Amino acid sequence: MYLDNAATTPVRPEVLEAMMPFWRGTFGNPSSHHEVGEQAASALADARARIAAVLGVRTGDVVFTSGGTEGNNLAVKGISLGAMLARGRRHVVTTAVEHESILESVAALERLHGFEATVLDVDDAGRVSPDAVAAALREDTALVTLGYANNETGTVQDVRAIAAVTNAARVPLHLDAVQAAGWLALSGTGADAITVAGHKLGAPKGIGAAAIRGRIPIEPILHGGGQERGRRSGTEDVAGAVGLATALELAEAERAASAARVGAARDAFVARVLAAVPSAALTGHPTERLPATASFTFAGTSGEAVLLELERRGIVSSSGSACAAGSDEPSHVLVAMGIAPEVAQTAVRFTFPHDLTVDLGPVAAAVAASVAAVRSAT
């Protein structure tokens, strides 16, 4: 059973069907000024409008990207550099539990452009206080950037309260919504920029979007042909854009029902694991978390060893972010939450699909057996 959906998801049949014509019949370059190109441009414009409707932004705010990493780079670097050039601002606020694409983008601004970053602490559930955000703001703050929901623990930030703080200070707020898409409302957050990735919700890898409000100056990070109104050069992936629009619309239509069903199954699974596995601990916020995420530490084990035991029993899961796979370092997210490094290295994450219907009781039993096997071998 595949339970690593936070890493990637299979392409939905409806998405594949919607994309297929743009690989063959309507394959034109949307920048070409002839009939085939204009057909592609029309499809791209339609996809942009559909995505904007789900995100609650203007159509022209949507910039197509290659995925969440590029989208976060564009939002963090593009908005910050735009503020530097327009108003001389060189300060960015983020948190210690962000995805590497945010943290490394912030580090690049410091290293290459003389920015100063304030990296806020979080509580033991992984949440940042809106008051801490307010206290970190300065006259030269160019951007506040953080994840709507954490990719490792599923903890959801109080983004509307944080947006109230940034809006009052007239500082742009960027939300990395790559994990939140399909599970949480993407419109009405109060954010000025939001990023999503197709492969987290049934579209292919290699397509994403960054929606950045038109009033915000953006310095592009990819230069060339001036596509996407000069904000992101490169020939657009029309099929991918259509697939992303279809996947987002499907996810939004199913969101409430999926969240209720999967969340209930997740809660039962968590209760079974905690009851069956001595010293198991749930990481992240107990209630303000994504419905499809359950992350545990199993003190006295190796997370990688538990994963291998689970795979022998037919369960595919992960130790955390796929973008940090292969690293020997403990999760920076868990360490920032106050979990000891040696315990953080025992983490195992289960993330469930939107169409989950099976009983997770056997999975909980497999977790208990896998942890017991690892402990008996050490």
Side-chain angles (χ1 to χ4, degrees), residues 64-229:
F64 288 109
T65 68
S66 62
T69 291
E70 187 194 337
N72 284 342
N73 271 258
L74 175 60
V76 174
K77 295 175 184 175
I79 294 173
S80 297
L81 292 173
M84 178 190 75
L85 294 171
R87 297 185 292 276
R89 296 186 174 188
R90 280 189 169 90
H91 177 240
V92 179
V93 178
T94 189
T95 85
V97 296
E98 299 310 320
H99 188 271
E100 289 84 352
S101 60
I102 288 182
L103 294 177
E104 290 298 324
S105 292
V106 170
L109 289 170
E110 292 182 290
R111 185 174 66 253
L112 301 175
H113 301 286
F115 275 72
E116 183 179 349
T118 298
V119 182
L120 297 174
D121 292 332
V122 295
D123 62 20
D124 60 4
R127 297 189 104 196
V128 64
S129 163
D131 290 339
V133 174
L137 298 180
R138 308 186 329 201
E139 288 187 2
D140 64 338
T141 302
L143 178 70
V144 175
T145 175
L146 71 156
Y148 193 167
N150 187 265
N151 60 306
E152 294 190 29
T153 66
T155 293
V156 178
Q157 300 291 350
D158 189 354
V159 297
R160 288 165 181 80
I162 293 170
V165 169
T166 58
N167 288 339
R170 296 187 176 181
V171 172
L173 172 64
H174 162 245
L175 293 182
D176 171 4
V178 168
Q179 294 295 336
W183 298 110
L184 303 174
L186 299 179
S187 63
T189 63
D192 301 283
I194 190 166
T195 50
V196 295
H199 74 106
K200 307 294 187 178
L201 43 94
K205 302 170 188 67
I207 186 66
I212 303 174
R213 297 201 186 280
R215 61 180 173 78
I216 299 175
I218 307 170
E219 180 66 17
I221 59 174
L222 290 179
H223 301 86
Q227 289 88 347
E228 298 297 289
R229 295 172 58 193

Side-chain angles (χ1 to χ4, degrees), residues 9-35:
T9 60
V11 176
R12 295 183 60 158
E14 307 97 319
V15 171
L16 183 59
E17 182 179 359
M19 295 174 65
M20 193 64 70
F22 302 97
W23 281 319
R24 296 182 66 83
T26 313
F27 59 85
N29 186 324
S31 296
S32 296
H33 297 293
H34 48 59
E35 183 179 359

